[in-house]
Structures are given as structure tokens and as C-alpha cells.
Amino acid sequence: MSELHTKTLSEIAALLKSGEVKVAEVVADCLARIEATEPRVKALITVMAEEAMAQAKAMDAAGPDPDKPLWGVPMVLKDLLTLKGVKTTCGSKILEDFVPFYDATAVTRLKDAGAVFVGKANMDEFAMGSSTENSAFFMTANPWDVDRVPGGSSGGSGATVAAGQCFAALGTDTGGSIRTPSSFCGIVGLKPTYGRISRFGLIAYGSSLDQIGPMVRSVEDAALLLQVMAGHDPKDSTSVDVPVPDYLAALGREDLDGVTIGLPEEYWGEGLDEEVKEACANAVAEMEKLGAKTVPVKLALTEYAIATYYIIAMAEASSNLSRFDGVRFGYRNKKADELIDMYTASRTEGFGDEVQRRIIMGTYVLSSGYYDAYYNKAAKVRRLLRQDFEKAFAQCDLIAGPVCPTTAFVKGAKADPLQMYLLDIFTISANLAGIPAMSLPVGLGKDSSMPVGLQFMGAPFSEPTMLGVAECLERHLDPMPMPEL
Ligand code: GLN
């Protein structure tokens, strides 16, 4: 096996474009890496070895296309993004054999830019979870320590990128599912502003919260992928018609003079593990050295964020998942005689425990008599939370804090669902507010020796500022090594 897989996406794209390496070599290297590491990491539900090799050879025969920024670059998709003709399971038994007949818009854009897909990544069933332990198929391991979880719900995407099986993966983030696994696996993950990337072809969990985003090994790679995927799509009415700026042009700043970073006390106090706090605080100190000013900001409603998020996300999930009835999609119980029994049996056998728990709770908060007390109340708190952010961003350019209160934990350590939900405390507010947020690896925790991610949050469409600041900080931190596998 060569060392090609240790390069970043931007580096490999340049080598491919210049003809210095062939697509077939790069794809073969990734496939060899998959073969060598998958028995331990188990990041992928589907490996597309033959398709990828055939595509690579055809591309090499045609020669590099300078207009395609991702020409020949091997990538992986979270298994809830539709890829025409390839099984898309959502990590669920109910969609075990579902083969979509269309591509997600984000996928079309990556294809048009020249990407080669080598696999589809494991995930918590229907993206419900923070550890990838809720997959119906198997658990994924953290490449830094295979006894630990990779984070979730895009844990397969995080692990495949950290393990060097590909150069980038797409994840989705409804309440932290890009940022948590990025933090746990030591990679860069970006959840863009709601509406920035089309959700067409993303199998919905919480439609008002879901966003697709890149999971990669450098900030530059994140900027490049955002550039390719961002932009209005008539197939998604919530995708916004706001001009797409030049994200790569925002990179390369010399220092952080003139940048104000807000530090919310709610994110830096109680409940935060000491090693996470220390690694994040060191990164903030580095930003100060680079000229950034820090100011305290208040996000007073943070303590209500978990309750608000879980009411809204479960309500939306109960409605979105009603389409999986055994008739139109996926698994069907063939023994039931009556239609209603067929629905019940198909859904009972097809959905896992966590998904059923959420459908039941989501249906409850939407039912008459409880709608006002729960759903409507949560919707109001959500608006207030958004206003909190607006006030904070009047005082600062970006907010910085930890992604997660802990580093990656040992599998099985958060068996109580509530303990798992509490991990989302720092990530879910960005989804409720619709603002962009990212995880930047800032080193290893001194106790667990596991990666720590620093989170940036910004006002809507502030991705250029966020990427610019993150890339400057990234350049001044010790480079993040790849895990030894
Ligand atoms: N952990 C959160 C949940 O289970 C977030 C998941 C996500 O972002 N998809 O809902």
C-alpha cells in the first residue's frame, strides 16, 4: 500500500490534476486501505470496489479534466444520501434493500465535479444518536481506539476519513451529527447554514434542522467541498437563493487581527470535562496570540436547548418516518392478513428501539391536547434561542466553545438514552437557530489521549469568516496526526 491515503483532499486533487498520479492508483490505494482497516473500524455498509475501479480506469483513459475540482478523488457518502443504483439503508433494517433511482443534489454536484464514490458509511439508524451504536447492522469503531465510539450519527463518515479510507465523506447534521463524530475522530466537519446545501435526496429526519456537510482532514478541503455543493436547488424549497461566495478566497489570512471571538459562559462551565476544556482553551489562547479579541457572550437559553431540540426533532421524525409503511418503501412483513396488521408488523420489525421511541414521543407531542404544551412551546423557545444568537453576534464575529463535553467514550458507556441526549448540549442550538457551525481538531485530551474538537458558530452565511479563522488557527496548531491503525 502506498502513502497516498495520508494526503488531504486538496493535495490529492492537485496530484491527480497534474497527472502525477492516476485515478486508478489513488482508488486502489483507498480500497487497499479499506481492506486493511475495515475488519477493525467497520465504517462502511457498502464498499463499491468494482464500480470505483471501473470508473477510475475510464477517467484515466480520458485524462484529467481541469474544470473539475474533485477530478478522481475517492469519497464516501453517509448512507442516507441517495446514490442512484446503490443501496441506501439509513442504517435501518426497514431500508435494508432500498435502491434509490435518483441522486441527491449534493451527490450530483460532487459527481459533476469529478468525485469517485468508494462506499457508503454506517450511521445511527435514521441519524438518531450520537455514537453510531444505533445502527441496525453493526457498530463502527473509533480509529484512534477501537474500543471507543466514533461519535454519531455520521460515525461511519468520521471513521472512514480518519482511517484514511477516502479523502472526504459527506455527513448530515440535525443536532450535531457532523460535528460530534468529527470531534471524536480528529477531523474537520462543517455544518453549513440551513438552506445553503440542498437537502434533496437526503432521507429526512428533522426537516427544519437537517443539513448536509463535508467531513475532511483540513479546513481547505471543507471550503472546497462547500464550494462544490452550495447553492440554490429548485428541488428543495428550503434551499436558499443567496449567491455563493468564493470560500477558498477566504483562506490564507495571516493573522486574526480585527476578529472578535465570543465565549459563552454556558459552554465553558459546568459539565465540561477538564481535558476538553483545556484543549479548547489552549486553542482560544492561540487565537488571541494571533490577534483575535475575546469577549464573554450570553446564550442564556442553552439549558432549554436539549428539551426544545428533542421535542422538535422527534415531532418532525414521527411525521417524516410515516412514509415507511411496508407498502412504498423497504421491509414488509409478509405474514399479516390485514392492511393495518401489515403496517404495524412491518414498522415494529423494521425500526429499531431508538427510532420507535422517537416516533412514539414525536407523535405524543403533536397529539391534540399536548401540541400547545410541547410542540408549540418548543417552537417559541426556538425563536428566543435564535434571538440569543442574534444578540451575541452583535458583539462578536464568531462564537467558540467545545463541540462535546467529553472525548470519545467506550462503547456501551451511555446506554441510558437520556445520557446520550445530554451529549448534544453544545451542538443542537446551531441547528435550532439554523446557523453554520464547525468542528476543528485542536489536539488530544491529556487524560484519554483522544481527539478534541473546538466548535465555531457564526451568523447565517458567515462560512467565509468561519473557514478563514479556522484555517488560520489550523496552520498555527500542531498538525493533527493520523491514528495508528
Ligand atoms: N444526537 C442527536 C440526535 O440523536 C443529533 C443527531 C443528528 O444530528 N442527526 O437527534
Side-chain angles (χ1 to χ4, degrees):
M1 204 187 312
S2 73
E3 291 302 306
L4 289 175
H5 63 266
T6 59
K7 307 248 177 262
T8 66
L9 182 159
S10 310
E11 288 165 352
I12 206 75
L15 290 172
L16 284 160
K17 197 171 286 178
S18 69
E20 244 169 283
V21 294
K22 297 270 180 244
V23 185
E25 276 175 71
V26 179
V27 169
D29 190 53
C30 288
L31 293 174
R33 184 77 184 155
I34 289 171
E35 213 176 291
T37 56
E38 263 306 87
R40 277 163 297 151
V41 177
K42 294 165 88 68
L44 305 175
I45 293 176
T46 304
V47 179
M48 299 163 58
E50 277 168 35
E51 301 96 309
M53 267 326 280
Q55 192 188 344
K57 285 181 186 152
M59 290 176 91
D60 283 331
D65 184 338
D67 295 333
K68 297 190 172 179
L70 303 175
W71 190 82
V73 176
M75 284 191 61
V76 162
L77 299 170
K78 184 178 185 178
D79 210 17
L80 51 43
L81 294 163
T82 58
L83 177 58
K84 189 176 168 181
V86 179
K87 206 172 65 155
T88 297
T89 67
C90 255
S92 181
K93 187 175 168 197
I94 212 159
L95 288 179
E96 198 167 6
D97 301 313
F98 173 60
V99 178
F101 54 86
Y102 64 98
D103 285 329
T105 297
V107 170
T108 304
R109 292 188 180 177
L110 295 177
K111 276 188 177 174
D112 290 348
V116 179
F117 299 113
V118 291
K120 306 229 36 209
N122 197 23
M123 53 182 284
D124 284 304
E125 185 175 0
F126 284 100
M128 298 174 183
S130 308
S131 65
T132 315
E133 290 167 294
N134 292 340
S135 166
F137 306 118
F138 47 83
M139 281 185 205
T140 294
N142 191 309
W144 289 84
D145 175 351
V146 292
D147 293 330
R148 293 177 190 253
V149 301
S153 64
S154 316
S157 300
T160 190
V161 171
Q165 298 179 345
C166 59
F167 296 90
L170 291 194
T172 61
D173 194 312
T174 307
S177 280
I178 288 176
R179 289 161 285 157
T180 302
S182 296
S183 171
F184 282 12
C185 293
I187 61 170
V188 175
L190 171 68
K191 179 203 94 69
T193 306
Y194 182 78
R196 184 71 289 187
I197 295 176
S198 166
R199 289 184 299 113
F200 179 76
L202 183 185
I203 298 176
Y205 162 19
S207 308
S208 76
L209 304 155
D210 298 339
Q211 254 302 281
I212 296 171
M215 298 171 73
V216 283
R217 292 198 290 266
S218 79
V219 177
E220 183 184 5
D221 295 353
L224 179 57
L225 284 180
L226 181 62
Q227 198 75 55
V228 169
M229 293 188 289
H232 181 243
D233 174 17
K235 290 182 188 148
D236 170 9
S237 60
T238 64
S239 88
V240 289
D241 204 355
V242 170
V244 178
D246 185 343
Y247 296 110
L248 289 163
L251 310 182
R253 37 182 320 155
E254 244 161 62
D255 54 39
L256 299 181
D257 279 348
V259 175
T260 307
I261 304 284
L263 304 174
E265 64 187 67
E266 295 80 2
Y267 282 53
W268 287 89
E270 212 188 321
L272 179 58
D273 271 10
E274 205 44 51
E275 59 168 351
V276 175
K277 188 173 181 173
E278 193 179 307
C280 289
N282 287 343
V284 170
E286 190 61 39
M287 288 197 278
E288 284 173 328
K289 262 198 252 161
L290 286 163
K293 197 175 109 192
T294 54
V295 294
V297 291
K298 240 188 135 33
L299 295 174
L301 292 172
T302 302
E303 63 172 306
Y304 303 110
I306 292 198
T308 306
Y309 167 82
Y310 276 95
I311 289 171
I312 291 173
M314 289 185 192
E316 292 184 11
S318 76
S319 154
N320 275 324
L321 269 55
S322 63
R323 76 192 63 173
F324 303 106
D325 55 8
V327 177
R328 288 162 297 182
F329 300 98
Y331 176 80
R332 174 187 299 184
N333 173 296
K334 298 214 173 68
K335 287 190 219 104
D337 296 328
E338 302 284 330
L339 182 64
I340 191 78
D341 295 338
M342 192 280 287
Y343 288 153
T344 310
S346 300
R347 287 168 68 84
T348 306
E349 290 158 18
F351 289 134
D353 289 351
E354 184 60 27
V355 175
Q356 295 196 32
R357 178 175 10 259
R358 294 189 187 204
I359 291 173
I360 291 168
M361 294 217 271
T363 307
Y364 178 80
V365 300
L366 288 176
S367 58
S368 95
Y370 296 102
Y371 184 93
D372 281 334
Y374 293 106
Y375 184 78
N376 241 348
K377 181 82 143 282
K380 286 178 187 161
V381 176
R382 180 181 194 173
R383 165 158 294 257
L384 294 173
L385 217 133
R386 224 178 262 170
Q387 287 170 357
D388 261 9
F389 276 107
E390 279 164 21
K391 280 186 217 142
F393 289 125
Q395 291 169 263
C396 63
D397 301 299
L398 295 172
I399 286 174
V403 171
C404 191
T406 70
T407 58
F409 47 88
V410 173
K411 289 174 191 161
K414 308 270 174 196
D416 169 14
L418 192 57
Q419 290 305 315
M420 191 74 85
Y421 300 168
L422 291 173
L423 290 174
D424 300 334
I425 177 75
F426 302 136
T427 48
I428 49 190
S429 296
N431 302 76
L432 289 167
I435 59 175
M438 73 182 286
S439 177
L440 177 74
V442 291
L444 302 180
K446 68 172 189 309
D447 303 322
S448 63
S449 301
M450 295 299 287
V452 176
L454 177 75
Q455 177 170 220
F456 286 111
M457 294 188 278
F461 305 106
S462 66
E463 285 91 346
T465 309
M466 186 179 293
L467 291 163
V469 169
E471 190 267 342
C472 180
L473 175 60
E474 178 188 52
R475 234 182 308 125
H476 289 86
L477 293 172
D478 293 335
M480 196 70 185
M482 281 179 74
E484 277 170 34
L485 259 168

